Amino acid sequence: MEKAKAVNNVEILNPHKVDVIQAIREMTDGRGADVCVDAVGFEPERNFMDKVKATINFEKGSIKVLEMCFEAVRRMGTVSIMGVYGSPYDNFPLFRIFDKGITIKQGQAPVLNYIDKLVNLVSENKVVLDDIITHTIPLTEAEHGYKIFNEKEDDCVKVVLKP
């Protein structure tokens, strides 16, 4: 969160310290955010009961963050989903989406359309990624890279594996 604040010059809300929905309402005079982005992915933090419910319903992961986006966005606002959802979810909040007239933008990134151009921009140093790449390690240490990323160790944000 601190990296996002520093690199992008944005406000951050730590859900361990504040009620995020309430804070967004206060910041927007009760209206809600114009756009909410779910970029958490497949496995957000969950409590024991969330895990039990998912197991009973044969669900993988959780839509907890997505539900927060639907609650925090203003009426007629937009929720953009970059997170990964790998299974159907019981009690999907379709009622809230319909009631608030929320526009949803989502889907897999069309990487194949852009990867060559993006790699060239990086190769030509027109785009520098040192604000996001925190670790560059040999491919032989891939397991370690996944571990520190997954366990949020050593301020790991993005790992680049070198052959």
Side-chain angles (χ1 to χ4, degrees):
M1 283 190 280
E2 291 302 323
K3 183 170 274 299
K5 182 177 183 175
V7 171
N8 300 298
N9 194 28
V10 296
E11 294 291 329
I12 58 170
L13 300 171
N14 184 337
H16 297 289
K17 296 181 179 178
V18 300
D19 179 329
V20 173
I21 306 298
Q22 182 179 337
I24 290 171
R25 295 272 180 233
E26 290 171 3
M27 294 168 77
T28 60
D29 295 323
R31 188 182 79 238
D34 293 334
V35 176
C36 289
V37 178
D38 169 1
V40 171
F42 188 65
E43 192 59 48
E45 292 179 8
R46 298 187 289 166
N47 63 33
F48 177 75
M49 290 308 294
D50 288 336
K51 291 178 183 179
V52 168
K53 176 191 171 289
T55 301
I56 290 169
N57 290 327
F58 300 104
E59 298 169 348
K60 293 183 167 74
S62 168
I63 61 170
K64 180 173 80 171
V65 173
L66 185 56
E67 288 172 334
M68 289 177 68
C69 287
F70 293 147
E71 191 173 340
V73 74
R74 67 172 171 78
R75 291 188 172 282
M76 307 306 286
T78 299
V79 172
S80 182
I81 306 169
M82 297 186 317
V84 177
Y85 292 95
S87 72
Y89 293 93
D90 188 41
N91 295 321
F92 185 79
L94 189 58
F95 69 95
R96 179 165 284 127
I97 298 165
F98 176 79
D99 179 57
K100 293 176 82 173
I102 298 170
T103 297
I104 299 174
K105 297 182 181 263
Q106 49 73 43
Q108 297 288 339
V111 175
L112 294 176
N113 295 344
Y114 304 105
I115 191 68
D116 293 334
K117 182 176 182 175
L118 295 173
V119 167
N120 286 337
L121 289 173
V122 172
S123 297
E124 296 167 2
N125 290 321
K126 292 181 179 175
V127 173
V128 180
L129 301 174
D130 60 354
D131 60 339
I132 192 168
I133 296 172
T134 55
H135 294 75
T136 302
I137 59 176
L139 183 59
T140 56
E141 295 180 30
E143 184 177 352
H144 172 70
Y146 278 103
K147 179 184 180 299
I148 62 173
F149 175 79
N150 192 47
E151 296 178 12
K152 299 173 177 64
E153 294 177 355
D154 194 27
D155 294 323
C156 183
V157 174
K158 182 67 72 180
V159 176
V160 171
L161 300 172
K162 293 284 186 174

